[in-house]
């Protein structure tokens, strides 16, 4: 969390999601969504089925959403298929969506 408040350190934290996300996020907590998995409205419905609200917080290489609280569907539309990692936090410390590169 400390790294996320410093622009310089935030960039390093985001870069670790490129190659070491399983170790950094905890592989035991990751559940892969089987293909096809690029429909943002279906992903939003799946996350909401598991308790996500309409708002989320985004950590992303996509500067349009990084560091912002925004509607879940908007965040997913900017993250899914972007080509670089994004972590969409739906319920702090409980539920998130991770899009790898």
């Amino acid at each position: 969390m400390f790294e996320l408040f410093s622009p310089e350190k935030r960039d390093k934290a985001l870069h670790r999601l490129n190659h070491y996300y399983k170790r950094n996020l905890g592989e035991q907590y990751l559940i892969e969504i089987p293909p096809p998995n690029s429909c943002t409205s279906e992903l939003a419905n799946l996350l909401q089925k598991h308790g996500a609200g309409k708002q989320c917080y985004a950590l992303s290489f996509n500067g349009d959403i990084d560091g912002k609280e925004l509607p879940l569907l908007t965040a997913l539309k900017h993250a899914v298929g972007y080509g670089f990692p994004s972590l969409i936090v739906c319920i702090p410390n409980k539920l998130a969506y991770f899009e790898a590169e």
Side-chain angles (χ1 to χ4, degrees):
M1 291 300 290
F2 171 76
E3 291 178 321
L4 300 177
F5 292 104
S6 162
E8 191 176 290
K9 291 182 172 129
R10 183 183 188 88
D11 192 50
K12 289 179 183 177
L14 287 172
H15 278 284
R16 281 198 303 276
L17 292 177
N18 276 320
H19 304 291
Y20 307 108
Y21 66 88
K22 287 183 180 179
R23 182 176 65 198
N24 290 319
L25 297 177
E27 188 171 9
Q28 70 273 25
Y29 301 112
L30 299 175
I31 299 169
E32 186 172 349
I33 301 170
N37 56 13
S38 59
C39 178
T40 54
S41 60
E42 286 182 22
L43 289 170
N45 288 337
L46 176 65
L47 291 166
Q48 288 173 332
K49 189 187 293 186
H50 289 280
K54 293 189 184 285
Q55 293 291 114
C56 65
Y57 178 79
L59 296 148
S60 178
F61 272 89
N62 186 331
D64 292 339
I65 61 171
D66 183 48
K68 296 178 183 172
E69 188 172 318
L70 59 164
L72 177 60
L73 190 55
T74 301
L76 290 169
K77 285 181 179 179
H78 282 86
V80 175
Y82 182 69
F84 290 96
S86 293
L87 183 65
I88 309 300
V89 181
C90 305
I91 301 173
N93 300 319
K94 299 208 184 265
L95 179 67
Y97 172 80
F98 178 68
E99 173 89 4
E101 61 180 317

